[in-house]
Every structure is written in structure tokens, then in C-alpha cells.
Amino acid sequence: MKLISPVIVGLSVNQINIIINTRLASGLPNGNITAFSYASLLTGAFYGTFATSVVTVIFPTLSREGSTGDYEGMKSHMVKAINNINMIMIPVTLGIMILRYHIIDILFKHGKFNTYSVEITAIALLYLSIGMIFYGIRDVFNVSFYSTNDTKTPMVNSILGIAVNILISIILVKYIGIAGLAIGSSASAAICAVLLMKDFRKKMGSFGGHDMISTGAKLILSSLVMSVAVFIMNNYLSKYMVGFKLELLFTMLIVIVGAAVYVTMMLLLKVKEFRYLYGIVANRLTSFQN
């Protein structure tokens, strides 16, 4: 029970932040609670789809290495997990930020969910999506601490993150409304991630931060080039996105082109995690053809 209770607190930080922000949103004009809930639902769905699987897969490996004292192996797999999550979440985050209006239009704009509802949901989604990059880093470090039977450190950092969210949200909501709540939530995730990295380094020593920074820089550059392509296409095609079917079609086209640009950039920059994945897929396709 001593180990389980801190784990529950550490894993519940997102849900606790959502509950707090929803309560704070109740003091805003009508529609803000719904908007924040939908934006939270979208970020949770994107993160759950693309990143949670990586954390789930890596947990048994980290647990085995932590229990056997193979800390160097644990550090190596931890950095690989973070790089793989960043390889997905950085471009996804930037894509969501650019295409947020179309995403919300396609999924929610019907019935009482009008243009005003789209606008305030898009504001919340813009700032909430930033936190997704830090969710992955935070969760991998949480799992790494759990693997060494240290549940206290993630719990303490989670409580600090929740406190930061409350403080920032209370201050900013008075001035910028729903955007303040979203910024508070993302800031909470960022601070948790930074504190966990700091504590892990203090406890376990160097963990390959140089590799993480080097790969992260390549992923950010690739994502920025992709974002330029997506932004240009979005600006040009938006005037043709009249009606649900055309908006869905052109949004899918933009996503496909953006993904192609991103993949090309990773190949040019020789991102090793992607080259490894690309090699596996290429070998399987070759074997299938033969």
C-alpha cells in the first residue's frame, strides 16, 4: 500500500488538473466548460493514441532492468523511449496547433456547437496541445522511478505540478480566460518533466541527455519544416473547405503531405530512431514480396 498510493497520485495528475481547471472554468461565460472538456478530450485522445503505447511497452523492460540493477540498460531504453515519443508528439503537437480549427469543425461542429464554440475550444486546444510533448517525458521518467521502487519522487513532483497549475490558472484566468487554464495545465506538465529529469540525474547520474537533446533538435527542425508546409497548404486550401466533406478531404490531404515532408526531413537529418524503424519496415516489405 505504501508503494501503491504514491503511484496513484503520480498517475492521476492529468485527471486532477482537468478537474481543477473545469472547476475554475465554471466562473467563465457559458460554453467554456464544454470547450475546455472537448479540448482536454482531444489532447488525451491524441496522446493516448500515439504515446501511451510506447510507455506501456517500455515499462516491463525498465522494470526488469531496474530490479536487476542494470541501470545503464535502463537509462538507454529510457532515452530511446523518450526519443520515440518525441518523434511522434512534436510533429503531432505542431500539426494540431495549425489545424486546430479544422479538427474541431470536423469532430464537433454540429447542433448547438456553433462558431463561438469552435473559437473558444480552439483557444484551449492551442495551449493544451503544448503540454503533450512534456506528458511523454514525464511519464517515461515516472515509470523509470517506479522501476527502482521509488514512488515518492514522482508523487512529490506531481503534487508540485498540480500546485503550479492551480497558481498559474488562478492568476491567468482573470486576464485571458480559458487560455489561462490551458497554459496552467501545460506549464504543470513541463515543470513536472523538468523536475523529474533533474531528480533522476541526481539519483542515477548522467542518463544520455546529450543524445536526447541531439535527437530532439533534429526532430524539432524536421517538425518546423513540416509546419511551414502545413501552414502554407492550410492558408491556400482553407477557402475551398466549404462543408464537412471538403473540409475533411482537404485536412486529410494536408496531413498526408505534412507527414511526407516530416519523414523526408528525418531521413535527410539521419534521425537514428526513424532510420531503425524505416529499416524494419523496409525489410518486412522485402520479405513479404519475396
Side-chain angles (χ1 to χ4, degrees), residues 18 38 40 61 80 83 91 106 117 154 173 185 189-191 196 199 210 227 260 279:
I18 289 171
Y38 279 158
S40 299
T61 301
K80 287 179 181 177
N83 286 342
I106 291 167
S117 302
V173 73
S185 183
I191 288 172
L196 284 166
D199 289 342
H210 177 75
S227 297

Side-chain angles (χ1 to χ4, degrees), residues 41-60:
L41 177 66
L42 282 173
T43 52
F46 280 114
Y47 179 73
T49 301
F50 296 113
T52 301
S53 56
V54 177
V55 178
T56 303
V57 168
I58 199 67
F59 182 64

